[in-house]
Amino acid sequence: VSWSNGRAGVGDITALDQKTVTRRLTNGPGGLATGMRVHWDENTFAGDPLSSRGLAYDHVEVQSKLGPMPAWFVPGKSSTWVIIVHGHKVTRESTLRVMPSIHDAGYPILSVTYRNDVGAPLSPDGKSHLGASEWNDVDGAITYAQQHGASGVVLFGGSMGGAIVAETARHSAKADLIRGLILDSPVLDWRATLDAQGGTYHLPLIETRLAEQVFTWRTGFDFNDLDQVKHAADFHMPVLLFYGTKDDVVPVEPDKAFVKARPDIVTLVTVEGAGHAAGWNVNPGPYEDHLRSFLNGMPK
């Protein structure tokens, strides 16, 4: 939760009755008083790597086809970098929660922006392309890492960020530099995701299909190309995939199908009780254990 001059993490339930739920607050809830209005914020941390996580960092700019994209760079000893890509309608602040465990493992971190983010250039039509064009900006981040000493990268994407890094892995001319993918609640099949969300709002299937067709007409991109399950054979690096059992945004079926198609490279971690992209929030210790174990298997 956050308020005018502070924020606090929301922990375990300590009491429960028919009218109220009491939870433990964490991360220094100084300044919070009874009766204050607060805002529920899915970003556990706010600010920048130094102010929120105690990590020294630099503001850098990644060059893309559309121009410079702001990024945070946290130095590390490894020659393999971790590039983190946030999801739709959230910011780089959502990547702050995983930074210490990646930093402790010795990896430099590049937390990037992409087209239509605040401070980044707009796409030519000002619209999101669901990863179909945004991957070019992550491609620019790989180039930046290589130009600054990286011998390889691990791409880490949450939600639509997962779709973006998957597209990068399939389409980038620098895919041979990608040592692994970390996907948190990724959109691996936009058609299945939109159908599921339409069902949540009791929309007829024909309406979601029409929306998909409008997207294709407007952008020129095909939903079939955004179906990573159909293109599972195109992936040639280890993949760590987190999924929450309470995810009501992205359906689990494409994740399971992806694992079934590529059991040789994909490790699925199911987080009980976690909502969309909230695996770390629900159970940070085991989440970070899986993350460190995966990274320790990467070349340094």
Side-chain angles (χ1 to χ4, degrees):
V1 293
S2 61
W3 54 97
S4 59
N5 60 348
R7 63 192 297 113
V10 179
D12 295 335
I13 295 175
T14 59
L16 178 66
D17 59 35
Q18 292 182 342
K19 293 184 178 180
T20 62
V21 176
T22 304
R23 290 180 178 269
R24 191 180 306 280
L25 296 183
T26 62
N27 303 327
L32 186 62
T34 302
M36 289 178 59
R37 291 186 175 273
V38 300
H39 169 68
W40 189 270
D41 189 344
E42 291 185 356
N43 285 340
T44 311
F45 303 96
D48 56 51
L50 181 60
S51 65
S52 68
R53 305 299 268 151
L55 299 175
Y57 78 104
D58 292 315
H59 285 286
V60 300
E61 288 187 340
V62 170
Q63 292 298 322
S64 79
K65 295 179 179 179
L66 298 182
M69 305 282 179
W72 290 327
F73 174 67
V74 178
K77 295 179 181 179
S78 174
S79 64
T80 298
W81 290 25
V82 176
I83 298 175
I84 316 181
V85 185
H86 65 80
H88 186 50
K89 293 186 178 179
V90 296
T91 68
R92 283 177 291 169
E93 289 182 332
S94 66
T95 71
L96 292 168
R97 54 192 171 180
V98 297
M99 284 189 179
S101 56
I102 298 172
H103 179 262
D104 290 346
Y107 291 88
I109 302 166
L110 191 64
S111 179
V112 300
T113 55
Y114 48 85
R115 58 194 65 193
N116 302 317
D117 275 345
V118 174
L122 293 175
S123 59
D125 62 3
K127 304 294 185 181
S128 170
H129 293 166
L130 308 180
S133 64
E134 289 84 355
W135 73 264
N136 290 281
D137 306 327
V138 178
D139 194 52
I142 297 174
T143 299
Y144 179 94
Q146 186 180 32
Q147 290 174 343
H148 290 78
S151 61
V153 299
V154 174
L155 302 184
F156 189 154
S159 190
M160 192 178 93
I164 294 172
V165 303
E167 286 288 285
T168 308
R170 286 181 46 224
H171 297 298
S172 173
K174 307 175 191 69
D176 60 325
L177 294 175
I178 303 174
R179 306 295 182 237
L181 302 180
I182 302 170
L183 308 175
D184 190 335
S185 305
V187 182
L188 296 180
D189 179 356
W190 275 107
R191 182 175 286 116
T193 298
L194 294 177
D195 288 350
Q197 292 181 0
T200 299
Y201 294 100
H202 307 291
L203 297 177
L205 183 60
I206 191 172
E207 290 194 21
T208 58
R209 288 287 187 261
L210 179 59
E212 294 161 11
Q213 189 61 54
V214 169
F215 171 83
T216 299
W217 290 336
R218 178 171 58 82
T219 66
F221 295 110
D222 188 344
F223 269 79
N224 288 323
D225 187 62
L226 294 170
D227 185 342
Q228 310 306 331
V229 179
K230 288 184 177 180
H231 298 280
D234 294 347
F235 293 86
H236 305 290
M237 66 287 291
V239 179
L240 177 64
L241 199 165
F242 291 98
Y243 179 80
T245 60
K246 297 292 185 180
D247 194 330
D248 59 359
V249 176
V250 175
V252 70
E253 287 77 15
D255 289 355
K256 291 181 176 179
F258 192 63
V259 174
K260 184 176 180 180
R262 295 304 307 273
D264 55 321
I265 62 169
V266 183
T267 299
L268 176 65
V269 177
T270 302
V271 185
E272 292 294 331
H276 183 61
W280 185 95
N281 303 58
V282 168
N283 213 344
Y287 186 104
E288 292 181 353
D289 288 343
H290 285 292
L291 184 58
R292 280 190 290 263
S293 178
F294 182 79
L295 289 174
N296 285 337
M298 296 292 106
K300 292 187 177 183

